Amino acid sequence: MLDGSATSVLESVRLLGFLQIDPISTVAPPQYLVPFSRLGPYDRAELDRLLWEEKRLFEWNAFVYPIEDLPLIQARMRNRRSARGTEFLKANARFKRYVLRELESHGPLLSRELRDLSVTQWSPDSRWWGTRNVAVMLGVLHSRGLVAVAGRRNGQRLWDLAARWYPETETVPLRKAERLLAEKRRRAEGVWLERGEWRAHPDLVDGPVPDRVTVLSPFDRLVYDRERAEALWDFRYRLEMYVPKAKREYGYYVLPVLHGDRIVGRVEPVFDRKARELRVLGAWGDTSRLDEALADLGRWLGADTITGWTSRPERSTKARSRIPPPAR
């Protein structure tokens, strides 16, 4: 699918299995950047339409799944009902009833539109959460399949009753659901290590890979398993966001560069939305085709210029270039 053959966001999510959601938008949030790596410049509103209007995708626990996987994920939801959080719900039964009643009467709602009626916190040591007990309650109910994310308002989640938001589905036993999800994951990975041997999924097509270059999100499943990426491509990749600046080997938010079927380098871009400028703070490895990848990325982000990068060594790294129109 990274060969440029993907044709839509929906197809991409189905083949990947899921998208991971993260608010980090140094370049773009990963749930949008991962499809870009497969589709090139696409309309980001397509993902939102599929989630909130057409309901062909759904969000659960910071992941986006195809709606046909809902019965499998609901098996996980049911399993969560005997997991951590039970004591919190028991102690805050009145609070739980209030939240569900408000959503039934007035939903979808933002968490700040609900009152905190809790009598106990999530745990004796809840310093990380502070007084965010409404968010805790919604999170517990969401993980157990009682409430659902039904949209977003200014980036904030809108909550509704799961029974009203999700379509009716069949009931799948947990063991069967986990087996089917594992099979989907193996198909998405294509190649995986099992008992010391590399195995390829039988659906893989062994053919030529188009001469295409793009950048990958740090959350892309192609590189998310860092040890797998190192074993397959001899590419050691670590996200250094939480590493002190003085100890970083490369940079804060560095993207791998994919050329054909090889990961050949890395680049650290930052998108300045106000200035409509894509700034390159550093690039490493084979950067011979990086101009193409950055131009595609810049066009998709809506940047007018790229600064800090040029493939011509005689020019200053302070270079500034207009983004060319796409090739016809």
Side-chain angles (χ1 to χ4, degrees):
M1 191 171 57
L2 276 159
D3 61 3
S5 63
T7 59
S8 70
V9 172
L10 182 59
E11 179 192 10
S12 298
V13 179
R14 282 173 170 165
L15 291 172
L16 283 166
F18 53 82
L19 296 175
Q20 184 170 349
I21 298 174
D22 195 275
I24 299 170
S25 55
T26 304
V27 178
Q31 62 268 30
Y32 296 103
L33 186 55
V34 168
F36 161 79
S37 300
R38 287 144 180 85
L39 300 168
Y42 74 98
D43 182 5
R44 285 169 57 158
E46 184 180 351
L47 178 60
D48 297 325
R49 285 194 300 270
L50 290 165
L51 276 164
W52 316 127
E53 296 176 24
E54 300 178 21
K55 293 188 179 182
R56 301 177 78 180
L57 301 174
F58 71 98
E59 177 181 333
W60 184 68
N61 271 14
F63 289 90
V64 172
Y65 297 93
I67 196 64
E68 56 265 27
D69 286 353
L70 179 59
L72 309 183
I73 300 303
Q74 284 178 324
R76 289 181 172 176
M77 295 176 184
R78 291 190 296 272
N79 190 51
R80 293 286 183 95
R81 294 177 189 178
S82 60
R84 189 168 179 249
T86 301
E87 292 304 316
F88 176 80
L89 292 180
K90 285 182 178 179
N92 291 285
R94 176 172 169 267
F95 183 23
K96 173 187 172 181
R97 290 194 298 271
Y98 158 75
V99 168
L100 295 176
R101 188 171 60 248
E102 286 296 296
L103 291 179
E104 182 177 13
S105 301
H106 308 293
L109 296 174
L110 299 170
S111 63
R112 67 169 179 263
E113 295 173 322
L114 294 163
R115 290 182 293 142
D116 182 358
L117 300 183
S118 60
V119 295
T120 64
Q121 294 186 343
W122 168 253
S123 68
D125 183 8
S126 293
R127 289 171 294 179
W128 190 86
W129 286 98
T131 57
R132 296 166 54 196
N133 285 317
V134 172
V136 173
M137 176 60 75
L138 288 167
V140 174
L141 296 177
H142 178 53
S143 71
R144 295 169 178 233
L146 297 175
V147 304
V149 182
R152 272 182 163 72
R153 186 191 302 162
N154 299 323
Q156 301 298 307
R157 288 177 293 185
L158 284 164
W159 298 93
D160 203 351
L161 295 180
R164 186 159 58 198
W165 182 253
Y166 295 142
E168 290 188 10
T169 65
E170 62 176 321
T171 300
V172 179
L174 180 62
R175 183 173 296 183
K176 180 180 179 180
E178 292 297 351
R179 177 173 56 79
L180 293 173
L181 288 168
E183 173 57 26
K184 286 173 176 284
R185 185 171 60 251
R186 284 194 294 269
R187 188 191 184 285
E189 291 177 351
V191 178
W192 67 92
L193 193 61
E194 187 175 280
R195 297 178 183 177
E197 295 184 356
W198 287 105
R199 298 183 181 274
H201 196 276
D203 289 350
L204 281 184
V205 177
D206 185 13
V209 176
D211 184 30
R212 179 174 178 266
V213 61
T214 190
V215 294
L216 302 175
S217 164
F219 296 87
D220 198 296
R221 310 317 293 180
L222 195 67
V223 294
Y224 191 80
D225 184 333
R226 311 306 191 204
E227 292 182 3
R228 175 177 177 268
E230 191 166 355
L232 283 174
W233 296 289
D234 192 25
F235 179 76
R236 187 180 187 279
Y237 179 63
R238 301 293 184 272
L239 188 55
E240 299 180 287
M241 290 168 39
Y242 304 111
V243 176
K245 187 174 182 179
K247 296 184 178 181
R248 290 175 192 153
E249 186 177 2
Y250 295 103
Y252 175 81
Y253 200 72
V254 174
L255 310 184
V257 178
L258 181 76
H259 180 189
D261 62 354
R262 303 291 300 175
I263 298 178
V264 298
R266 60 193 89 204
V267 62
E268 185 182 11
V270 174
F271 180 45
D272 185 330
R273 287 159 181 77
K274 186 175 181 180
R276 297 175 66 90
E277 183 177 85
L278 184 62
R279 298 171 184 157
V280 179
L281 306 184
W284 303 265
D286 181 355
T287 58
S288 59
R289 299 274 300 277
L290 186 56
D291 300 61
E292 299 172 42
L294 291 174
D296 268 354
L297 180 62
R299 278 191 292 269
W300 176 62
L301 292 170
D304 294 327
T305 57
I306 299 173
T307 61
W309 167 255
T310 174
S311 59
R312 295 170 57 185
E314 69 273 15
R315 294 181 60 188
S316 164
T317 55
K318 299 291 185 181
R320 180 185 185 91
S321 61
R322 301 287 297 182
I323 294 176
R328 294 186 180 275

